[in-house]
Amino acid sequence: MRKLMQDAARRALAYLDGLPERGVAPSPQAVAGLSSLDESLPDGPSAPEAVLQLLDETCSPATIAMAGPRFFGFVIGGSLPVTLAANWLAGAWDQNTAYYNATPATAMLEQVALRWLVDLFGLPQGSGGAFVTGATMSNFCGLAAARHAVLARAGWNVEADGLIGAPPVTVVVGAEAHPSLIKSLGMLGLGRNRVVRVPVDDQGRMRAEALPALDGPTIVCAQAGNVNTGAFDPLEAIAARTRPAGAWLHVDGAFGMWAAAVPSLAGLARGMASADSWGTDAHKWLNVPYDSGLAFVRDPDALRAAMAITAEYLPTESPYRNPSDFTPELSRRARGVEVWAALRTLGRQGIVDLVERNCRHARRFAEGFRAAGHRVLNDVVLNQVLVSFGVPEVTNRVIADLQADGTCWCGGTVWQGQTAMRISVSSWSTSDADVERSLEVMLRLADGAGTDPRKR
Ligand SMILES: Cc1ncc(COP(=O)(O)O)c(C=O)c1O
């Protein structure tokens, strides 16, 4: 056991050491090498050392360097060293964190981390929460609590009786709600297509004045951090409409929610605390290992009503918080351990520094593009940058060339009809030098793609 674990640690450290200088995308040869895994299930056992060696030698080179400093695709944080170390330790503990009585240490860590997070985000004291896999599931949890509450107010017990025959629930979203939020609504039986879509402005923000009249059981889903632009819906104005109508306000803050912890950005999130539920990710801006999402609900009883189960053999009576009363899963790993370790290590100021640094890097990218004559499509208010290098074919060619070059990695998008390269700066390990090095390559490739603005 000891030798195997030491070998795993040695291999993992060699992988991490190589991250800053290896190509961000895996080589085509490394990816092609994965086909060697496609073998029949062995009849007999293999030496664990040999299995680990196979895993490392075949798969490590075929990974994309998401954990490294120059991965700017999607919205991806790295893993702060302490969170990876805590993850290894918690893996050894192997605690099925459903009940306090059975797993007091990990349940306590989640309870404390939850209290810290409620405080950090300025949410109402006493809000409940859940540690889940990601924002898709944290939105699912918030919306499950919403579904419970709005139907309970209409005299319907949705957990007991389902949705067939229930009073209709109106669900309102912004036209640029994240597709995973729409998926969560589908999983809850609220329908992907039944939603009322509110028009957005030129940054993708919901136009509060365009909200429909709110009446009856209603859930309004706002967004803190548009996945393309980083823009925030006007939460204060939206809450001013939902509160008097008794509608439930849910905020999808997958990455933008962290702005609420940063005084210089808190203006973006003004009104966020007036909502009823919130979903965010820890694997994005808190930089903990995958997978890790966080749900918060102002009224913990609404979340508990949606998620708790009871059975004879399960210990439900406890003066402490039982994690499984608030999560879709019964058995689950102790996700809160890494969240606690990140918060305990960074402290309030460390989180402010991390978020502000990534936002500064995003502004530097935008400034570099503009100086070279390229069009930045969004107001860079957070960590997201959208840049066009000309007609869609040219922008797509720059993205493909950049991914092949390997210095850094960005993806593409079509946003409000415009093709763009997306840059998301979300990793603790990205330095000023990484940004300059990446920018230089981006501009060189854009020039090479025939997009020199003087030649356009
Ligand atoms: C605004 C928003 N909501 C939800 C999600 C889904 O998050 P996850 O992939 O962690 O489930 C994302 C992912 O980028 C997002 O940006």
Side-chain angles (χ1 to χ4, degrees):
M1 169 88 113
R2 181 171 302 271
K3 212 167 136 256
L4 186 68
M5 294 305 163
Q6 283 168 343
D7 191 30
R10 185 185 59 76
R11 288 177 186 280
L13 291 173
Y15 178 81
L16 294 175
D17 284 346
L19 276 179
E21 291 315 319
R22 59 161 275 189
V24 176
S27 69
Q29 298 88 306
V31 176
L34 293 173
S35 61
S36 68
L37 298 171
D38 193 10
E39 56 182 356
S40 308
L41 175 66
D43 286 330
S46 307
E49 295 77 12
V51 172
L52 195 67
Q53 181 180 359
L54 176 66
L55 200 57
D56 186 27
E57 291 179 357
T58 310
C59 294
S60 292
T63 58
I64 190 160
M66 281 183 175
R70 292 186 303 281
F71 185 86
F72 304 118
F74 313 104
V75 185
I76 304 277
S79 296
L80 286 159
V82 72
T83 67
L84 182 56
N87 173 281
W88 290 356
L89 189 58
W93 293 344
D94 198 18
Q95 300 286 286
N96 179 354
T97 307
Y99 290 98
Y100 181 88
N101 287 346
T103 55
T106 51
M108 181 56 109
L109 288 170
E110 293 198 348
Q111 187 168 318
V112 172
L114 180 62
R115 182 167 54 75
W116 287 351
L117 287 161
V118 164
D119 180 46
L120 184 74
F121 291 136
L123 303 182
Q125 288 301 315
S127 292
F131 295 78
V132 290
T133 50
T136 304
M137 286 311 290
S138 50
N139 287 326
F140 175 88
C141 288
L143 294 166
R147 186 184 68 161
H148 168 84
V150 299
L151 283 173
R153 275 183 232 143
W156 187 266
N157 182 340
V158 69
E159 284 74 30
D161 300 323
L163 278 175
I164 297 168
V169 177
T170 306
V171 181
V172 181
V173 302
E176 293 192 12
H178 195 272
S180 64
L181 180 119
I182 306 296
K183 172 182 165 174
S184 296
L185 291 167
M187 290 194 290
L188 285 161
L190 294 169
R192 296 186 186 201
N193 295 340
R194 278 187 71 256
V195 294
V196 178
R197 287 185 181 267
V198 179
V200 293
D201 68 10
D202 64 353
Q203 296 300 313
R205 291 174 291 227
M206 189 194 289
R207 285 176 37 217
E209 79 282 5
L211 274 165
L214 306 175
D215 192 23
T218 302
I219 303 168
V220 176
C221 305
Q223 185 165 251
N226 177 301
V227 74
N228 280 306
T229 63
F232 283 54
D233 287 347
L235 301 174
E236 203 167 32
I238 295 169
R241 292 288 310 280
T242 54
R243 281 241 155 265
W248 181 286
L249 177 58
H250 173 79
V251 177
D252 173 6
F255 57 100
M257 188 136 172
W258 296 88
V262 179
S264 62
L265 296 171
L268 289 171
R270 193 171 303 122
M272 193 159 85
S274 308
D276 300 287
S277 58
W278 306 262
T280 190
D281 265 317
H283 59 218
K284 290 189 168 70
W285 233 342
L286 190 59
N287 278 255
V288 306
Y290 281 92
D291 44 30
S292 191
L294 304 161
F296 304 93
V297 179
R298 174 189 290 270
D299 174 9
D301 289 341
L303 182 58
R304 191 200 302 264
M307 296 296 164
I309 51 171
T310 52
E312 293 291 311
Y313 75 100
L314 300 173
T316 49
E317 286 309 314
S318 165
Y320 296 98
R321 175 183 178 276
N322 283 321
S324 65
D325 283 348
F326 301 94
T327 54
E329 307 88 354
L330 176 57
S331 296
R332 52 185 285 278
R333 77 177 188 94
R335 286 196 182 78
V337 175
E338 301 111 8
V339 173
W340 175 88
L343 296 171
R344 183 71 175 77
T345 305
L346 292 173
R348 236 178 251 281
Q349 191 56 44
I351 290 165
V352 171
D353 293 345
L354 168 63
V355 171
E356 285 189 334
R357 185 168 67 248
N358 287 162
C359 293
R360 178 167 57 75
H361 287 155
R363 291 195 300 274
R364 170 65 191 127
F365 273 119
E367 178 193 291
F369 293 136
R370 287 197 195 99
H374 301 295
R375 206 156 58 86
V376 174
L377 305 184
N378 62 318
D379 295 343
V380 181
V381 294
L382 207 64
N383 60 336
Q384 308 292 119
V385 185
L386 296 178
V387 59
S388 161
F389 297 110
V391 294
E393 296 73 28
V394 172
T395 299
N396 287 333
R397 194 176 331 137
V398 175
I399 296 168
D401 289 351
L402 189 68
Q403 292 179 0
D405 169 87
T407 303
C408 61
W409 200 98
C410 295
T413 189
V414 178
W415 174 70
Q416 298 198 348
Q418 304 175 87
T419 299
M421 185 171 85
R422 276 184 78 249
I423 297 171
S424 176
V425 194
S426 313
S427 175
W428 68 277
S429 64
T430 303
S431 67
D432 291 6
D434 289 313
V435 173
E436 295 307 325
R437 185 170 158 189
S438 302
L439 190 55
E440 191 194 312
V441 176
M442 290 168 183
L443 295 179
R444 178 164 49 74
L445 293 175
D447 212 18
T451 62
D452 183 331
R454 284 161 305 210
K455 296 182 205 144
R456 266 211 306 261

